[in-house]
Amino acid sequence: MHPQRNAILIALAAAALFGAATPLAKALLGSMSAFLVAGLFYLGSGLGLCACIAIRRWRQGDAGSAAQHRFQRTEWPWLFGAILAGGVAGPALLMLGLSSTPAATSSLLLNLESVLTAVIAWVVFRENVDVQVLLGMLAIVAGGVLLSLHPGHFALSVGALLIFGACLCWAIDNNLTRKVAANDAMVIACLKGLIAGPVDLTIAFSLGATLPSASLVAAAMLTGFAGYGVSLVLFVVALRHLGTARTGAYFSVAPLFGVALSLVLWPELPSITFWIAAMFMALGVWLHVRERHEHDHTHDRLEHTHRHRHDEHHQHKHDFEYDSDEPHTHSHVHLPITHSHAHFPDIHHRHRH
């Protein structure tokens, strides 16, 4: 399968894991505060991925493997900005907003994250957008709105503005993460969890929260590992190949997976609204999948590190003993080239139009 088509499935898998975490979080909120749940989710994500990284390096048996994933000095501000916006400020604003905002209003407002993500990507970072992609985004958002719509319960308030601020923080997080997406996705997600988790837990304990039973703590951390940690790893991988707006659009179908799991956990006949929302989201995904963006474009000289195969964009020599094993990871240089082929705004195609 083509890497970019494969990335679509990866983005949808990320959405499925994140969406599945929502009803599980709802079940946990009965015995824990919202900040405590968020903190345990992030901490479980960070510690779980830290263990995965350690196992991976042990299996590789290469003491120098860590150097392959070393962040450049210019990338650290983007990474810390993403962590502060999405892992600290976003959850804090959401919890403050939820305390004074009806659930229906909150659900509707949370659909703004994908819209704001796309707007920032298109306006600030000049990511290309076609009419078909825009229509796909609108269809997916319409489906999300239908899933969360409860007539007669929508109201704007200070709490609603705080939730809007949370969505804006996560949109900024998504776009800043794109700037470091060429690095090891597992390390990026691990750092987010290890920093955001303790911060959220500190806030929870300062507000009087106490830890529940060990089984509930373990359940929360395992849910966070899958729904926040593994999901974020897949999201970052998708960012490399699809760009921010398109990855955000696929990730926006997460509520559909969440509702589907809720129906499994608490069986009931799905409403007609669920099926209409599913059709809208399926239409949006279909419009994105069938997109074909092709034109003459020029690649400037680029040096970076990421996992790759020797495809048309990776025809370089190696300054180390190479055994033809692919894919592999090392620092490499792309020389300037002008050509034409179908592409997405991935890490190699961030040119202006």
Side-chain angles (χ1 to χ4, degrees), residues 171-343:
I172 293 172
D173 172 17
N174 293 337
N175 278 278
L176 295 184
T177 300
R178 178 199 185 219
K179 302 290 287 187
V180 298
N183 291 282
D184 189 339
M186 200 176 292
V187 172
I188 293 172
C190 178
L191 288 173
K192 282 191 174 185
L194 291 178
I195 294 175
V199 171
D200 289 332
L201 286 175
T202 299
I203 296 174
F205 293 139
S206 68
L207 294 175
T210 57
L211 286 176
S213 65
S215 59
L216 283 177
V217 170
M221 293 181 72
L222 284 173
T223 302
F225 169 65
Y228 280 38
V230 178
S231 175
L232 181 55
V233 171
L234 297 176
F235 183 87
V236 173
V237 172
L239 274 177
R240 294 177 189 165
H241 301 286
L242 302 175
T244 313
R246 289 159 181 79
T247 304
Y250 290 120
F251 197 74
S252 296
V253 306
L256 188 65
F257 293 107
V259 172
L261 181 59
S262 295
L263 295 174
V264 173
L265 296 176
W266 300 282
E268 62 176 285
L269 186 66
S271 66
I272 185 64
T273 303
F274 172 82
W275 296 113
I276 295 175
M279 290 176 59
F280 269 112
M281 288 187 165
L283 172 63
V285 171
W286 177 75
L287 286 170
H288 278 245
V289 169
R290 70 187 298 270
E291 175 198 8
R292 184 174 179 83
H293 181 77
E294 183 172 356
H295 61 90
D296 286 333
H297 57 276
T298 299
H299 294 268
D300 295 327
R301 186 186 184 281
L302 173 66
E303 181 175 359
H304 60 181
T305 303
H306 67 94
R307 189 175 174 84
H308 63 277
R309 296 181 182 274
H310 287 171
D311 55 21
E312 62 181 321
H313 292 100
H314 296 90
Q315 299 297 323
H316 50 256
K317 295 181 179 179
H318 299 83
D319 56 3
F320 56 89
E321 186 175 345
Y322 176 49
D323 58 6
S324 300
D325 184 33
E326 294 183 355
H328 59 185
T329 304
H330 64 89
S331 178
H332 56 277
V333 174
H334 296 269
L335 297 177
I337 184 175
T338 299
H339 59 183
S340 176
H341 63 92
H343 60 278

Side-chain angles (χ1 to χ4, degrees), residues 49-196:
L49 291 175
C50 189
C52 290
I53 292 171
I55 293 172
R56 182 185 64 185
R57 289 180 178 171
W58 173 74
R59 291 184 62 185
Q60 289 176 342
D62 182 4
S65 62
Q68 297 176 344
H69 306 292
R70 186 170 296 156
F71 288 88
Q72 300 297 315
R73 184 187 306 173
T74 56
E75 292 177 322
W76 282 108
W78 299 110
L79 179 60
F80 282 124
I83 293 172
L84 290 175
V88 179
L93 290 173
L94 177 64
M95 299 309 167
L96 291 172
L98 288 176
S99 64
S100 61
T101 307
T105 302
S106 303
S107 298
L108 280 171
L109 289 169
L110 287 173
N111 288 289
L112 289 172
E113 179 188 345
S114 60
V115 177
L116 293 171
T117 295
V119 169
I120 293 174
W122 294 336
V123 175
V124 178
F125 293 99
R126 301 297 183 183
E127 193 171 289
N128 74 284
V129 54
D130 299 328
V131 173
Q132 185 169 296
V133 172
L134 177 60
L135 293 175
M137 169 68 76
L138 293 176
I140 292 172
V141 171
V145 169
L146 281 174
L147 280 178
S148 55
L149 185 61
H150 297 277
H153 293 280
F154 185 80
L156 287 176
S157 62
V158 173
L161 293 176
L162 290 171
I163 294 174
F164 174 85
C167 291
L168 180 60
C169 285
W170 287 320
I172 293 172
D173 172 17
N174 293 337
N175 278 278
L176 295 184
T177 300
R178 178 199 185 219
K179 302 290 287 187
V180 298
N183 291 282
D184 189 339
M186 200 176 292
V187 172
I188 293 172
C190 178
L191 288 173
K192 282 191 174 185
L194 291 178
I195 294 175

